[in-house]
Amino acid sequence: MSRFLLAAAALLVLPVLSEAQEPAQAASGTHTVVRGETLWDLSRSYFGDPFSWRLLHEANEDIIANPHWIYPGQVLTIPGLPARRAQTAEVRDPSQVTDVVVRVGDEWDAQTAAERMATERTVFFRTDERRVLSSGVISREDEAYLAVPRDIFYSAGWLEHGAGAPEHLATIEAFEREARVRAAVSRTIAQPFESLLIRFSGSDRPGVGDRLLSFRVERTIENAQVVVPSGLLAVHRMESGGAIAVVTTEYNRVEIGDFLVRVPGFALEPGVHPAEVTDGMTATVLGFQRVRDFYGPGDVVFLDRGRAAGVAVGDEFVASVSPREGYGGRIGGTLQVVGVRESGSSARVIALDAPIFERGMTVRLSGKMP
């Protein structure tokens, strides 16, 4: 029985210790690759999110020819996001560790755990100052992550008011390979990392290395067009009247005919989160990015309040359930603003206790970014 209990304690302790350890090179802005590492693993270590590997690839495109392959000895630049952080407390005496409690019947408690840790240390024990989490729960105010991830920010759709094509600086015209040999093709969907020929619509010309957001209009809501981003492209080479751009990120299908604009500026800082608001403004739900029978976490909602009303990316709105629906008038769902335009904003559902979101409903500001 004692071996089983010791193993159970180890399973609880080891993840806690690993959360408190930060990559040693995070502050330097560079990382030297060792055998066995991947962009996926490094993104998880430095950003706390393996799906942000594209940030590492885009920051090191001069030395990474293929994002699937990195090699020992390569020195990679780490973009501005700092490593994952958590509130810590110094613990020099194992008897001070009281957060790890394992109970099997009544044979195991915190005091037993401390005694076992002091006498039966493993190879993972550090003789210098150990740093462990002071609690098994990390509050979001203490963790340096982004209130809105970059890909969520870039992939959120918006409402474009007015008729005609939305404002754009270029259009995806053709696949570079087929355009070069003048071959007829029947497909319209681009592949990841495929080179595309784009044509400019006016005098605004991006340069080599600039990133562009591709999008298209999917439908209309009354007098507004629902615009949905499809991906990110990087300008690779300039051409007469246009350029060659490479698909670096896909949020939807990147297709021939999609419009392009410059990637919007992303100003959020890690560790900055909304503060609670008690008497916040109200907004009205104008519609949704996707058509569904039921709207849940991850779905994007369009609101009638935007930059002119002081709404910012990261703000949060809540929706109350009507007492007549049997839920007692409590909060039924929470929205997080992920995109802002002058007269409107886009918000995604981040919490849901009741199926309440619908067009025309009123939501209230409950959290405000600094």
Side-chain angles (χ1 to χ4, degrees):
M1 178 65 74
S2 62
R3 291 183 179 177
F4 168 77
L5 295 175
L6 182 58
L11 288 175
L12 288 179
V13 173
L14 293 181
V16 172
L17 291 176
S18 63
E19 287 286 349
Q21 295 170 353
E22 297 177 327
Q25 294 174 302
S28 68
T30 63
H31 177 93
T32 301
V33 178
V34 298
R35 183 178 297 277
E37 289 183 325
T38 66
L39 291 185
W40 177 277
D41 296 328
L42 294 178
S43 177
R44 178 169 50 196
S45 296
Y46 284 100
F47 306 139
D49 178 12
F51 293 98
S52 294
W53 63 267
R54 296 184 184 90
L55 295 176
L56 289 175
H57 178 233
E58 292 172 4
N60 296 277
E61 287 182 321
D62 56 332
I63 61 174
I64 301 177
N66 186 326
H68 297 291
W69 299 99
I70 57 177
Y71 301 95
Q74 287 181 317
V75 179
L76 305 183
T77 298
I78 306 300
L81 291 177
R84 180 183 173 96
R85 298 182 186 277
Q87 183 178 2
T88 60
E90 294 184 0
V91 179
R92 304 184 185 183
D93 184 348
S95 64
Q96 297 179 29
V97 180
T98 58
D99 293 313
V100 181
V101 179
V102 179
R103 290 187 180 274
V104 178
D106 293 321
E107 300 180 22
W108 191 265
D109 57 16
Q111 181 178 357
T112 304
E115 293 173 354
R116 288 291 179 87
M117 289 176 64
T119 59
E120 299 180 348
R121 294 166 180 164
T122 71
V123 294
F124 298 100
F125 181 78
R126 291 173 52 186
T127 56
D128 57 342
E129 294 183 359
R130 288 171 46 216
R131 297 175 66 82
V132 300
L133 293 177
S134 59
S135 170
V137 178
I138 304 172
S139 65
R140 74 175 186 175
E141 289 80 7
D142 296 324
E143 187 163 1
Y145 67 84
L146 290 164
V148 177
R150 288 173 183 264
D151 278 347
I152 296 296
F153 172 76
Y154 293 138
S155 63
W158 67 88
L159 286 182
E160 189 80 30
H161 296 276
E167 184 177 349
H168 60 283
L169 63 83
T171 304
I172 299 176
E173 184 173 275
F175 304 106
E176 181 197 14
R177 182 175 54 190
E178 284 78 0
R180 186 171 60 249
V181 300
R182 299 188 179 184
V185 294
S186 58
R187 69 185 179 103
T188 61
I189 300 174
Q191 302 298 317
F193 305 108
E194 185 166 16
S195 296
L196 304 174
L197 174 64
I198 65 174
R199 293 296 183 189
F200 299 120
S201 305
S203 58
D204 185 9
R205 305 291 175 89
V208 173
D210 286 351
R211 294 197 303 165
L212 306 175
L213 176 70
S214 61
F215 66 91
R216 56 180 168 271
V217 176
E218 292 206 342
R219 68 183 196 283
T220 59
I221 297 178
E222 296 182 351
N223 297 323
Q225 302 177 90
V226 177
V227 175
V228 178
S230 55
L232 297 178
L233 286 74
V235 178
H236 176 64
R237 186 177 71 252
M238 303 304 295
E239 299 261 322
S240 176
I244 300 300
V246 177
V247 178
T248 61
T249 306
E250 291 184 305
Y251 301 126
N252 206 320
R253 299 182 307 274
V254 177
E255 298 185 1
I256 302 301
D258 283 359
F259 301 114
L260 296 164
V261 293
R262 294 181 184 275
V263 170
F266 185 81
L268 295 185
E269 295 291 337
V272 180
H273 303 286
E276 184 177 355
V277 174
T278 54
D279 297 317
M281 74 175 81
T282 59
T284 301
V285 174
L286 300 178
F288 304 87
Q289 182 168 318
R290 302 295 185 193
V291 178
R292 303 188 192 279
D293 294 329
F294 168 78
Y295 294 98
D299 284 320
V300 174
V301 176
F302 301 129
L303 304 178
D304 67 345
R305 295 278 193 167
R307 192 178 298 111
V311 176
V313 173
D315 288 353
E316 294 180 359
F317 287 80
V318 293
S320 299
V321 183
S322 171
R324 67 174 182 274
E325 296 177 5
Y327 291 93
R330 62 180 172 80
I331 300 300
T334 304
L335 301 172
Q336 178 189 53
V337 176
V338 293
V340 177
R341 300 177 75 79
E342 190 63 23
S343 59
S345 58
S346 305
R348 65 169 178 161
V349 181
I350 60 173
L352 191 70
D353 290 331
I356 60 171
F357 287 110
E358 60 183 7
R359 287 184 60 186
M361 75 178 304
T362 299
V363 295
R364 177 182 58 81
L365 183 71
S366 61
K368 190 77 185 73
M369 291 290 282

PDB file of all heavy atoms in Angstrom, residues 152 155-158 287-290 292 295-302 335 338 345-349:
ATOM      1  N   ILE A 152      -7.075  34.053 -32.331  1.00  0.00           N
ATOM      2  CA  ILE A 152      -8.481  34.378 -32.099  1.00  0.00           C
ATOM      3  C   ILE A 152      -8.771  35.794 -32.589  1.00  0.00           C
ATOM      4  O   ILE A 152      -9.811  36.065 -33.197  1.00  0.00           O
ATOM      5  CB  ILE A 152      -8.828  34.241 -30.601  1.00  0.00           C
ATOM      6  CG1 ILE A 152      -8.663  32.797 -30.145  1.00  0.00           C
ATOM      7  CG2 ILE A 152     -10.232  34.738 -30.331  1.00  0.00           C
ATOM      8  CD1 ILE A 152      -9.598  31.822 -30.807  1.00  0.00           C
ATOM      9  N   SER A 155      -8.703  35.795 -36.516  1.00  0.00           N
ATOM     10  CA  SER A 155      -9.710  34.978 -37.193  1.00  0.00           C
ATOM     11  C   SER A 155     -11.140  35.430 -36.965  1.00  0.00           C
ATOM     12  O   SER A 155     -12.071  34.894 -37.574  1.00  0.00           O
ATOM     13  CB  SER A 155      -9.578  33.514 -36.740  1.00  0.00           C
ATOM     14  OG  SER A 155      -9.843  33.385 -35.356  1.00  0.00           O
ATOM     15  N   ALA A 156     -11.345  36.414 -36.090  1.00  0.00           N
ATOM     16  CA  ALA A 156     -12.704  36.871 -35.796  1.00  0.00           C
ATOM     17  C   ALA A 156     -13.275  37.670 -36.958  1.00  0.00           C
ATOM     18  O   ALA A 156     -12.641  38.575 -37.496  1.00  0.00           O
ATOM     19  CB  ALA A 156     -12.706  37.718 -34.521  1.00  0.00           C
ATOM     20  N   GLY A 157     -14.496  37.340 -37.354  1.00  0.00           N
ATOM     21  CA  GLY A 157     -15.159  38.080 -38.423  1.00  0.00           C
ATOM     22  C   GLY A 157     -15.699  39.408 -37.927  1.00  0.00           C
ATOM     23  O   GLY A 157     -15.596  39.749 -36.740  1.00  0.00           O
ATOM     24  N   TRP A 158     -16.304  40.157 -38.828  1.00  0.00           N
ATOM     25  CA  TRP A 158     -16.892  41.448 -38.460  1.00  0.00           C
ATOM     26  C   TRP A 158     -18.015  41.796 -39.425  1.00  0.00           C
ATOM     27  O   TRP A 158     -18.196  41.149 -40.468  1.00  0.00           O
ATOM     28  CB  TRP A 158     -15.826  42.546 -38.449  1.00  0.00           C
ATOM     29  CG  TRP A 158     -15.238  42.901 -39.788  1.00  0.00           C
ATOM     30  CD1 TRP A 158     -15.700  43.823 -40.684  1.00  0.00           C
ATOM     31  CD2 TRP A 158     -14.060  42.325 -40.392  1.00  0.00           C
ATOM     32  NE1 TRP A 158     -14.880  43.879 -41.791  1.00  0.00           N
ATOM     33  CE2 TRP A 158     -13.878  42.970 -41.630  1.00  0.00           C
ATOM     34  CE3 TRP A 158     -13.153  41.354 -39.994  1.00  0.00           C
ATOM     35  CZ2 TRP A 158     -12.823  42.661 -42.492  1.00  0.00           C
ATOM     36  CZ3 TRP A 158     -12.098  41.041 -40.847  1.00  0.00           C
ATOM     37  CH2 TRP A 158     -11.943  41.685 -42.069  1.00  0.00           C
ATOM     38  N   GLY A 287     -26.065  39.939 -34.559  1.00  0.00           N
ATOM     39  CA  GLY A 287     -26.038  38.697 -35.325  1.00  0.00           C
ATOM     40  C   GLY A 287     -24.847  37.857 -34.947  1.00  0.00           C
ATOM     41  O   GLY A 287     -24.144  38.135 -33.961  1.00  0.00           O
ATOM     42  N   PHE A 288     -24.579  36.838 -35.769  1.00  0.00           N
ATOM     43  CA  PHE A 288     -23.532  35.862 -35.476  1.00  0.00           C
ATOM     44  C   PHE A 288     -22.696  35.581 -36.719  1.00  0.00           C
ATOM     45  O   PHE A 288     -23.180  35.704 -37.846  1.00  0.00           O
ATOM     46  CB  PHE A 288     -24.148  34.562 -34.967  1.00  0.00           C
ATOM     47  CG  PHE A 288     -25.031  34.749 -33.759  1.00  0.00           C
ATOM     48  CD1 PHE A 288     -26.375  35.063 -33.908  1.00  0.00           C
ATOM     49  CD2 PHE A 288     -24.504  34.650 -32.484  1.00  0.00           C
ATOM     50  CE1 PHE A 288     -27.191  35.247 -32.796  1.00  0.00           C
ATOM     51  CE2 PHE A 288     -25.309  34.838 -31.366  1.00  0.00           C
ATOM     52  CZ  PHE A 288     -26.660  35.140 -31.524  1.00  0.00           C
ATOM     53  N   GLN A 289     -21.430  35.202 -36.501  1.00  0.00           N
ATOM     54  CA  GLN A 289     -20.550  34.911 -37.636  1.00  0.00           C
ATOM     55  C   GLN A 289     -21.006  33.658 -38.383  1.00  0.00           C
ATOM     56  O   GLN A 289     -20.950  33.610 -39.603  1.00  0.00           O
ATOM     57  CB  GLN A 289     -19.111  34.722 -37.139  1.00  0.00           C
ATOM     58  CG  GLN A 289     -18.106  34.453 -38.252  1.00  0.00           C
ATOM     59  CD  GLN A 289     -16.675  34.562 -37.770  1.00  0.00           C
ATOM     60  OE1 GLN A 289     -16.330  35.470 -37.018  1.00  0.00           O
ATOM     61  NE2 GLN A 289     -15.819  33.650 -38.207  1.00  0.00           N
ATOM     62  N   ARG A 290     -21.451  32.655 -37.661  1.00  0.00           N
ATOM     63  CA  ARG A 290     -21.939  31.423 -38.263  1.00  0.00           C
ATOM     64  C   ARG A 290     -23.429  31.270 -37.989  1.00  0.00           C
ATOM     65  O   ARG A 290     -23.943  31.776 -36.984  1.00  0.00           O
ATOM     66  CB  ARG A 290     -21.196  30.205 -37.708  1.00  0.00           C
ATOM     67  CG  ARG A 290     -19.696  30.248 -37.895  1.00  0.00           C
ATOM     68  CD  ARG A 290     -19.307  30.199 -39.342  1.00  0.00           C
ATOM     69  NE  ARG A 290     -17.856  30.131 -39.513  1.00  0.00           N
ATOM     70  CZ  ARG A 290     -17.243  30.330 -40.668  1.00  0.00           C
ATOM     71  NH1 ARG A 290     -17.946  30.609 -41.753  1.00  0.00           N
ATOM     72  NH2 ARG A 290     -15.922  30.258 -40.757  1.00  0.00           N
ATOM     73  N   ARG A 292     -26.166  28.912 -36.758  1.00  0.00           N
ATOM     74  CA  ARG A 292     -26.329  27.678 -35.999  1.00  0.00           C
ATOM     75  C   ARG A 292     -27.685  27.681 -35.301  1.00  0.00           C
ATOM     76  O   ARG A 292     -28.316  28.726 -35.120  1.00  0.00           O
ATOM     77  CB  ARG A 292     -25.232  27.537 -34.936  1.00  0.00           C
ATOM     78  CG  ARG A 292     -23.806  27.579 -35.461  1.00  0.00           C
ATOM     79  CD  ARG A 292     -22.838  27.243 -34.334  1.00  0.00           C
ATOM     80  NE  ARG A 292     -21.451  27.533 -34.676  1.00  0.00           N
ATOM     81  CZ  ARG A 292     -20.662  26.750 -35.389  1.00  0.00           C
ATOM     82  NH1 ARG A 292     -21.150  25.612 -35.871  1.00  0.00           N
ATOM     83  NH2 ARG A 292     -19.404  27.078 -35.642  1.00  0.00           N
ATOM     84  N   TYR A 295     -25.949  28.545 -30.097  1.00  0.00           N
ATOM     85  CA  TYR A 295     -24.656  29.227 -30.041  1.00  0.00           C
ATOM     86  C   TYR A 295     -23.986  28.955 -28.701  1.00  0.00           C
ATOM     87  O   TYR A 295     -24.560  29.216 -27.642  1.00  0.00           O
ATOM     88  CB  TYR A 295     -24.840  30.723 -30.266  1.00  0.00           C
ATOM     89  CG  TYR A 295     -25.336  31.030 -31.655  1.00  0.00           C
ATOM     90  CD1 TYR A 295     -26.692  31.255 -31.898  1.00  0.00           C
ATOM     91  CD2 TYR A 295     -24.455  31.037 -32.726  1.00  0.00           C
ATOM     92  CE1 TYR A 295     -27.154  31.507 -33.177  1.00  0.00           C
ATOM     93  CE2 TYR A 295     -24.911  31.281 -34.018  1.00  0.00           C
ATOM     94  CZ  TYR A 295     -26.258  31.507 -34.240  1.00  0.00           C
ATOM     95  OH  TYR A 295     -26.711  31.726 -35.516  1.00  0.00           O
ATOM     96  N   GLY A 296     -22.749  28.412 -28.769  1.00  0.00           N
ATOM     97  CA  GLY A 296     -22.027  28.045 -27.571  1.00  0.00           C
ATOM     98  C   GLY A 296     -20.618  28.587 -27.564  1.00  0.00           C
ATOM     99  O   GLY A 296     -20.247  29.440 -28.390  1.00  0.00           O
ATOM    100  N   PRO A 297     -19.776  28.112 -26.661  1.00  0.00           N
ATOM    101  CA  PRO A 297     -18.403  28.596 -26.540  1.00  0.00           C
ATOM    102  C   PRO A 297     -17.652  28.545 -27.856  1.00  0.00           C
ATOM    103  O   PRO A 297     -17.668  27.540 -28.560  1.00  0.00           O
ATOM    104  CB  PRO A 297     -17.795  27.636 -25.510  1.00  0.00           C
ATOM    105  CG  PRO A 297     -18.961  27.227 -24.659  1.00  0.00           C
ATOM    106  CD  PRO A 297     -20.111  27.115 -25.618  1.00  0.00           C
ATOM    107  N   GLY A 298     -16.975  29.665 -28.183  1.00  0.00           N
ATOM    108  CA  GLY A 298     -16.213  29.771 -29.421  1.00  0.00           C
ATOM    109  C   GLY A 298     -16.945  30.489 -30.529  1.00  0.00           C
ATOM    110  O   GLY A 298     -16.302  31.026 -31.449  1.00  0.00           O
ATOM    111  N   ASP A 299     -18.262  30.525 -30.489  1.00  0.00           N
ATOM    112  CA  ASP A 299     -19.016  31.228 -31.535  1.00  0.00           C
ATOM    113  C   ASP A 299     -18.818  32.741 -31.398  1.00  0.00           C
ATOM    114  O   ASP A 299     -18.696  33.272 -30.297  1.00  0.00           O
ATOM    115  CB  ASP A 299     -20.503  30.897 -31.435  1.00  0.00           C
ATOM    116  CG  ASP A 299     -20.822  29.513 -31.971  1.00  0.00           C
ATOM    117  OD1 ASP A 299     -20.230  29.142 -33.003  1.00  0.00           O
ATOM    118  OD2 ASP A 299     -21.644  28.802 -31.364  1.00  0.00           O
ATOM    119  N   VAL A 300     -18.786  33.426 -32.545  1.00  0.00           N
ATOM    120  CA  VAL A 300     -18.545  34.871 -32.579  1.00  0.00           C
ATOM    121  C   VAL A 300     -19.867  35.612 -32.744  1.00  0.00           C
ATOM    122  O   VAL A 300     -20.686  35.276 -33.601  1.00  0.00           O
ATOM    123  CB  VAL A 300     -17.570  35.245 -33.711  1.00  0.00           C
ATOM    124  CG1 VAL A 300     -17.446  36.759 -33.835  1.00  0.00           C
ATOM    125  CG2 VAL A 300     -16.200  34.628 -33.441  1.00  0.00           C
ATOM    126  N   VAL A 301     -20.055  36.628 -31.913  1.00  0.00           N
ATOM    127  CA  VAL A 301     -21.259  37.442 -31.848  1.00  0.00           C
ATOM    128  C   VAL A 301     -20.909  38.863 -32.277  1.00  0.00           C
ATOM    129  O   VAL A 301     -19.843  39.377 -31.925  1.00  0.00           O
ATOM    130  CB  VAL A 301     -21.820  37.452 -30.405  1.00  0.00           C
ATOM    131  CG1 VAL A 301     -23.020  38.380 -30.293  1.00  0.00           C
ATOM    132  CG2 VAL A 301     -22.181  36.041 -29.969  1.00  0.00           C
ATOM    133  N   PHE A 302     -21.787  39.516 -33.017  1.00  0.00           N
ATOM    134  CA  PHE A 302     -21.567  40.896 -33.430  1.00  0.00           C
ATOM    135  C   PHE A 302     -22.392  41.825 -32.540  1.00  0.00           C
ATOM    136  O   PHE A 302     -23.602  41.627 -32.365  1.00  0.00           O
ATOM    137  CB  PHE A 302     -21.969  41.102 -34.894  1.00  0.00           C
ATOM    138  CG  PHE A 302     -21.206  40.229 -35.854  1.00  0.00           C
ATOM    139  CD1 PHE A 302     -21.880  39.454 -36.787  1.00  0.00           C
ATOM    140  CD2 PHE A 302     -19.821  40.175 -35.818  1.00  0.00           C
ATOM    141  CE1 PHE A 302     -21.184  38.646 -37.669  1.00  0.00           C
ATOM    142  CE2 PHE A 302     -19.114  39.371 -36.694  1.00  0.00           C
ATOM    143  CZ  PHE A 302     -19.799  38.599 -37.619  1.00  0.00           C
ATOM    144  N   LEU A 335     -19.383  36.975 -22.869  1.00  0.00           N
ATOM    145  CA  LEU A 335     -18.748  37.263 -24.153  1.00  0.00           C
ATOM    146  C   LEU A 335     -17.431  37.989 -23.914  1.00  0.00           C
ATOM    147  O   LEU A 335     -17.336  38.831 -23.016  1.00  0.00           O
ATOM    148  CB  LEU A 335     -19.654  38.143 -25.028  1.00  0.00           C
ATOM    149  CG  LEU A 335     -21.034  37.598 -25.388  1.00  0.00           C
ATOM    150  CD1 LEU A 335     -21.855  38.684 -26.087  1.00  0.00           C
ATOM    151  CD2 LEU A 335     -20.910  36.385 -26.296  1.00  0.00           C
ATOM    152  N   VAL A 338     -13.214  40.301 -29.145  1.00  0.00           N
ATOM    153  CA  VAL A 338     -12.009  39.839 -29.835  1.00  0.00           C
ATOM    154  C   VAL A 338     -11.690  40.682 -31.071  1.00  0.00           C
ATOM    155  O   VAL A 338     -10.661  40.464 -31.725  1.00  0.00           O
ATOM    156  CB  VAL A 338     -12.145  38.355 -30.243  1.00  0.00           C
ATOM    157  CG1 VAL A 338     -12.182  37.479 -29.005  1.00  0.00           C
ATOM    158  CG2 VAL A 338     -13.390  38.122 -31.098  1.00  0.00           C
ATOM    159  N   SER A 345     -18.407  45.778 -32.702  1.00  0.00           N
ATOM    160  CA  SER A 345     -17.345  44.889 -32.234  1.00  0.00           C
ATOM    161  C   SER A 345     -17.755  43.439 -32.422  1.00  0.00           C
ATOM    162  O   SER A 345     -18.927  43.126 -32.646  1.00  0.00           O
ATOM    163  CB  SER A 345     -17.015  45.162 -30.762  1.00  0.00           C
ATOM    164  OG  SER A 345     -18.164  45.010 -29.948  1.00  0.00           O
ATOM    165  N   SER A 346     -16.753  42.556 -32.347  1.00  0.00           N
ATOM    166  CA  SER A 346     -16.975  41.116 -32.442  1.00  0.00           C
ATOM    167  C   SER A 346     -16.561  40.510 -31.113  1.00  0.00           C
ATOM    168  O   SER A 346     -15.523  40.861 -30.551  1.00  0.00           O
ATOM    169  CB  SER A 346     -16.134  40.518 -33.574  1.00  0.00           C
ATOM    170  OG  SER A 346     -16.387  41.186 -34.799  1.00  0.00           O
ATOM    171  N   ALA A 347     -17.367  39.609 -30.605  1.00  0.00           N
ATOM    172  CA  ALA A 347     -17.086  38.976 -29.316  1.00  0.00           C
ATOM    173  C   ALA A 347     -17.372  37.487 -29.423  1.00  0.00           C
ATOM    174  O   ALA A 347     -18.285  37.072 -30.128  1.00  0.00           O
ATOM    175  CB  ALA A 347     -17.944  39.601 -28.210  1.00  0.00           C
ATOM    176  N   ARG A 348     -16.561  36.685 -28.732  1.00  0.00           N
ATOM    177  CA  ARG A 348     -16.795  35.245 -28.756  1.00  0.00           C
ATOM    178  C   ARG A 348     -17.381  34.796 -27.427  1.00  0.00           C
ATOM    179  O   ARG A 348     -17.112  35.379 -26.372  1.00  0.00           O
ATOM    180  CB  ARG A 348     -15.503  34.485 -29.047  1.00  0.00           C
ATOM    181  CG  ARG A 348     -14.448  34.613 -27.982  1.00  0.00           C
ATOM    182  CD  ARG A 348     -13.318  33.630 -28.194  1.00  0.00           C
ATOM    183  NE  ARG A 348     -12.279  33.784 -27.190  1.00  0.00           N
ATOM    184  CZ  ARG A 348     -11.377  32.875 -26.896  1.00  0.00           C
ATOM    185  NH1 ARG A 348     -11.360  31.735 -27.544  1.00  0.00           N
ATOM    186  NH2 ARG A 348     -10.467  33.088 -25.964  1.00  0.00           N
ATOM    187  N   VAL A 349     -18.181  33.756 -27.488  1.00  0.00           N
ATOM    188  CA  VAL A 349     -18.779  33.178 -26.291  1.00  0.00           C
ATOM    189  C   VAL A 349     -17.685  32.412 -25.541  1.00  0.00           C
ATOM    190  O   VAL A 349     -17.070  31.509 -26.103  1.00  0.00           O
ATOM    191  CB  VAL A 349     -19.931  32.226 -26.642  1.00  0.00           C
ATOM    192  CG1 VAL A 349     -20.545  31.646 -25.374  1.00  0.00           C
ATOM    193  CG2 VAL A 349     -20.990  32.935 -27.481  1.00  0.00           C
TER     194      VAL A 349
END
